[in-house]
Amino acid sequence: MQLLLYGFIHLFTSWSLIGLFLGVFVGVIIGSLPGLTATMGIALLIPFTYGISPEIALSVMVGIFAGGIYGGSISAILLKTPGTPAAGATVLDGYPLAQKGEAGKALAVSTIASAFGGLIGALILTFLAPQIAKIALKFGPPEYVLLGVYGLTMISYVSGKSMAKGYFVGIIGLLIATQGIDPISGFPRFTFGSLNLLNGVYLLPVLIGLFAIAQAFEGVDQFDQPKMEQVRLTKIGISTKEFVTILPTIIKSALIGTFIGAVPGTGTDIAAFLSYGEAKRSSKHPEKFGTGVIEGVAAPESGNNACVNGAMIPMFTLGIPGEAATAVMLGGLMVLGLQPGPLLFRDNPQVIYTVFASTISSNVFILVFGLIGARFFARILQIPKNVITVLIFILAIVGSYAMRNNVFDVWVTIAFGFLGFLMVKAEYPVPPMLLGIILGPLVESNLGRTLLISDGSLWIFFKRPICWLFLVMIIVTIGTTVKKRMQVSQS
Amino acid sequence: MSTKIKHINLIVGLLSVGVALYVFIESASFPLPHQSQLGAAVFPRILVILLVVLGLWISATGMKRKEDATIHHIKEVVLCLFGLIFYGAAIKPLGFLITTPIFIIFTLYILGVRRITSMIIISVGTTGTIFFIFRFLLSVPLPPGIIAL
């Protein structure tokens, strides 16, 4: 509690607050523009964090993530196109409401639900994460190997249509991670004789390539699509009675969202749809869902913003990303020189508690921006998409170059960007590659240490209780996803 | 006009075999491990074996389902790729302030923008803003090239 108080004091007396403000602001813009995701926003932002303290950098990232997921609802309501996949469920009732001439009410509901849902999620994150980290501090090398493998099984969930393609991409990521000096023998591997690859591929240009350049190429490929019609914006606000009606839905959805987020491998879109489904199921008038009811907007928006915070639980405490945005954030942490995982709580409590204070405070900004600035964000939606595509290209190239003043990083960005674009076109999921690159060194180096401890015997994995827990979780994850896939393909 | 890349999964499968061969040949020169040490070649070799198994599986199922990759505007995509390569190659020798407006105008033209005023406003505005943020707010030097500011 004292540490959290310190976090708040630090947030309010440093540049972190300005960083958070800007993060949420930029996040809402990025989120509201269809095609641009919070993940891309975080990837493009990392170069801007060069030289500033990790607290500020992380506050900006938290702001972009939360603002981005909220921002998606603006275009969902006004354009019938979710700005991010997380706002997919918001379209169902948000757009019909707007068509009835109540766009302002829909935006107010989505803002309030996002802020309250996010707040509940942030509070759970703040109080639960340190407890998990305490347990994780007891992990030794064998536990880390299995934690890494468990993290890799999350590929099952982020693979989209084909699990084989997901794992294929994941293994490519793991192979890329083996480039550079081997952690055990010190021998350089697969460097093609290049000094630039001696320390392996630098993570930042890979992130920017896969999540920003690839997106911009996608924009080029769809450059001649017509501009979308926007619904007229009415007075923004809801009555007290309406607020009381949606409050139970907001709380329930926030709990669902946080839980879904905390399970690695699920994401904000799943949280939103599940929250919507539950609100509809438990409603007294489920038949009205889809025609423009306010609960139908409140549920997904509360769920997805709570999920943002839930997703940060495994990322901060265990160092395993649950989905694309937290995977990129994890990469960002590493670029900042922080090792994600339980040690972060022991070695950098001031950073982590400032971040917690940011996650809680970000919701206030969402409330302010949403209720006062919605008209401005609606205007931003009018910016031609092609101009934004060009802007992403520039920010990506400059960002990847500026971090280390190295042209090699620019080539890596372009190469991974084009690869990411081709992968999307051929329906190969991109996030597993990042999981592989991030978790590969964790698994390999700890496997090396484990074998040294055990004199080369693999039995050590069966002699430790936490290892058993992970083994069961790994088997259950793979077993249930394979079974589910088989059922789907049969039907 | 859309372009279809046929047999994409077959290509991926063959590429995976190629990667596996490379890894096995390259890792043959890695030093042998001491007792109970994880050799430098072990992990990559396990990975490529898994890669080939999955790659061939994807090829086989892809052939059955006849999946293709469709790119709608391949000409514009390739031109942008060349634009990026030019930008990357020229940013250091020519400098940020010269290459950025050229790249912006080139890309906007490819994307169908023809109004000269829009092109000038967007290119100058973007270049100026990014230069200001990096140079003055973040104190990160951008390549000066032939114009030193």
Side-chain angles (χ1 to χ4, degrees):
Chain A
M1 201 64 201
Q2 216 176 356
L3 281 165
L4 184 62
L5 197 66
Y6 169 82
F8 269 105
I9 293 171
H10 193 266
L11 176 68
F12 285 102
T13 54
S14 70
W15 283 90
S16 300
L17 194 67
I18 309 279
L20 183 66
F21 175 88
L22 287 176
V24 177
F25 184 75
V26 173
V28 178
I29 292 178
I30 289 175
S32 65
L33 293 165
L36 309 192
T37 58
T39 315
M40 192 207 76
I42 299 169
L44 271 185
L45 166 101
I46 298 171
F48 288 90
T49 62
Y50 176 81
I52 61 176
S53 74
E55 288 98 322
I56 306 174
L58 281 167
S59 296
V60 186
M61 284 187 212
V62 164
I64 292 199
F65 194 6
I69 297 300
Y70 158 68
S73 70
I74 300 177
S75 44
I77 291 165
L78 297 178
L79 295 177
K80 204 190 175 182
T81 309
T84 57
T90 312
V91 176
L92 301 174
D93 274 278
Y95 187 69
L97 253 179
Q99 274 184 314
K100 285 187 212 165
E102 296 191 294
K105 189 195 275 181
L107 280 180
V109 170
S110 95
T111 306
I112 292 167
S114 296
F116 277 83
L119 180 67
I120 295 170
L123 290 173
I124 297 175
L125 162 74
T126 306
F127 292 103
L128 192 64
Q131 311 306 324
I132 296 175
K134 246 182 229 165
I135 301 170
L137 268 176
K138 298 196 179 100
F139 289 6
E143 281 82 10
Y144 271 111
V145 173
L146 293 177
L147 173 68
V149 175
Y150 174 63
L152 288 170
T153 62
M154 294 307 141
I155 290 173
S156 313
Y157 298 109
V158 291
S159 289
K161 276 190 203 155
S162 161
M163 235 165 96
K165 283 182 177 175
Y167 278 99
F168 182 84
V169 172
I171 291 173
I172 300 269
L174 285 167
L175 273 172
I176 292 169
T178 63
Q179 283 189 306
I181 291 175
D182 171 37
I184 308 285
S185 67
F187 189 80
R189 297 184 292 186
F190 316 117
T191 58
F192 306 102
S194 164
L195 284 178
N196 283 306
L197 286 172
L198 216 50
N199 287 321
V201 171
Y202 186 46
L203 193 56
L204 182 80
V206 177
L207 292 177
I208 297 182
L210 287 178
F211 294 98
I213 293 264
Q215 192 78 54
F217 272 125
E218 186 66 29
V220 173
D221 198 35
Q222 300 173 355
F223 81 98
D224 57 352
Q225 284 198 347
K227 211 171 166 183
M228 283 170 285
E229 279 291 310
Q230 193 172 332
V231 179
R232 242 176 71 87
L233 194 52
T234 47
K235 190 175 163 287
I236 296 159
I238 54 168
S239 66
T240 321
K241 199 178 145 209
E242 283 165 332
F243 177 70
V244 174
T245 323
I246 57 170
L247 194 60
T249 311
I250 290 176
I251 295 171
K252 197 162 65 179
S253 306
L255 296 176
I256 296 172
T258 314
F259 176 74
I260 296 293
V263 179
T266 51
T268 43
D269 46 346
I270 299 173
F273 275 104
L274 280 181
S275 302
Y276 183 86
E278 173 56 28
K280 187 176 174 181
R281 190 197 65 78
S282 60
S283 165
K284 282 185 196 131
H285 47 80
E287 74 286 350
K288 284 190 184 160
F289 272 69
T291 61
V293 289
I294 49 176
E295 294 98 313
V297 178
E301 281 307 307
S302 167
N304 64 25
N305 266 78
C307 180
V308 164
N309 296 285
M312 286 189 235
I313 297 175
M315 183 195 76
F316 280 127
T317 57
L318 304 173
I320 54 170
E323 31 77 70
T326 38
V328 175
M329 256 179 113
L330 203 64
L333 275 171
M334 291 173 170
V335 171
L336 288 167
L338 297 171
Q339 183 56 46
L343 292 180
L344 205 57
F345 286 78
R346 198 189 65 192
D347 301 337
N348 301 82
Q350 75 286 5
V351 174
I352 206 89
Y353 280 92
T354 310
V355 172
F356 289 159
S358 295
T359 59
I360 295 170
S361 314
S362 63
N363 300 296
V364 179
F365 289 131
I366 287 181
L367 208 56
V368 174
F369 287 151
L371 296 181
I372 299 171
R375 274 172 211 286
F376 167 76
F377 293 113
R379 277 264 171 84
I380 297 257
L381 291 180
Q382 314 270 10
I383 296 179
K385 231 180 134 184
N386 293 336
V387 174
I388 292 165
T389 301
V390 178
L391 205 65
I392 298 170
F393 275 135
I394 302 280
L395 283 175
I397 298 295
V398 173
S400 58
Y401 172 83
M403 202 73 184
R404 300 198 302 181
N405 278 322
N406 190 342
V407 175
F408 182 77
D409 288 346
V410 174
W411 301 133
V412 174
T413 304
I414 296 174
F416 274 90
F418 198 64
L419 177 72
F421 169 70
L422 291 179
M423 282 166 68
V424 173
K425 286 292 162 193
E427 296 188 336
Y428 282 76
V430 177
M433 183 175 282
L434 196 52
L435 279 175
I437 295 176
I438 289 179
L439 295 173
L442 178 88
V443 173
E444 192 185 12
S445 60
N446 281 297
L447 182 61
R449 280 184 211 126
T450 305
L451 292 179
L452 287 178
I453 300 171
S454 70
D455 268 337
S457 159
L458 289 173
W459 280 108
I460 189 167
F461 290 115
F462 302 100
K463 289 178 184 163
R464 298 164 74 110
I466 302 180
C467 285
W468 271 105
L469 181 72
F470 278 125
L471 284 170
V472 170
M473 279 158 66
I474 291 166
I475 293 167
V476 168
T477 307
I478 295 179
T480 48
T481 42
V482 168
K483 197 176 154 199
K484 218 165 152 192
R485 297 266 170 173
M486 280 165 74
Q487 280 170 348
V488 170
S489 65
Q490 270 172 10
S491 64
Chain B
M1 209 193 71
S2 300
T3 312
K4 277 202 165 114
I5 304 174
K6 284 190 179 163
H7 307 304
I8 184 81
N9 292 318
L10 188 65
I11 299 169
V12 168
L14 290 175
L15 280 178
S16 72
V17 175
V19 171
L21 283 175
Y22 165 74
V23 167
F24 265 92
I25 294 168
E26 181 79 12
S27 61
S29 63
F30 290 176
L32 287 172
H34 303 295
Q35 216 178 8
S36 81
Q37 199 185 33
L38 182 68
V42 176
F43 198 61
R45 283 184 175 180
I46 295 173
L47 290 178
V48 283
I49 291 169
L50 291 172
L51 189 77
V52 170
V53 171
L54 282 170
L56 295 180
W57 168 269
I58 292 168
S59 297
T61 50
M63 292 279 276
K64 218 164 55 187
R65 288 191 206 136
K66 294 208 170 95
E67 293 167 332
D68 302 318
T70 309
I71 298 175
H72 302 291
H73 296 286
I74 198 152
K75 197 179 97 196
E76 284 78 3
V77 168
V78 171
L79 281 172
C80 276
L81 180 64
F82 281 122
L84 278 177
I85 292 172
F86 158 79
Y87 189 37
I91 192 166
K92 204 163 184 179
L94 289 181
F96 172 80
L97 289 175
I98 292 180
T99 44
T100 307
I102 297 176
F103 176 77
I104 294 178
I105 290 171
F106 173 74
T107 318
L108 283 176
Y109 187 83
I110 293 174
L111 297 180
V113 179
R114 291 291 180 272
R115 271 178 55 189
I116 294 183
T117 39
S118 321
M119 283 183 174
I120 291 174
I121 293 170
I122 295 168
S123 60
V124 173
T126 309
T127 310
T129 312
I130 293 178
F131 184 77
F132 176 79
I133 293 175
F134 274 91
R135 183 79 174 75
F136 296 106
L137 293 183
L138 300 169
S139 310
V140 175
L142 292 170
I146 46 179
I147 305 178
L149 274 185

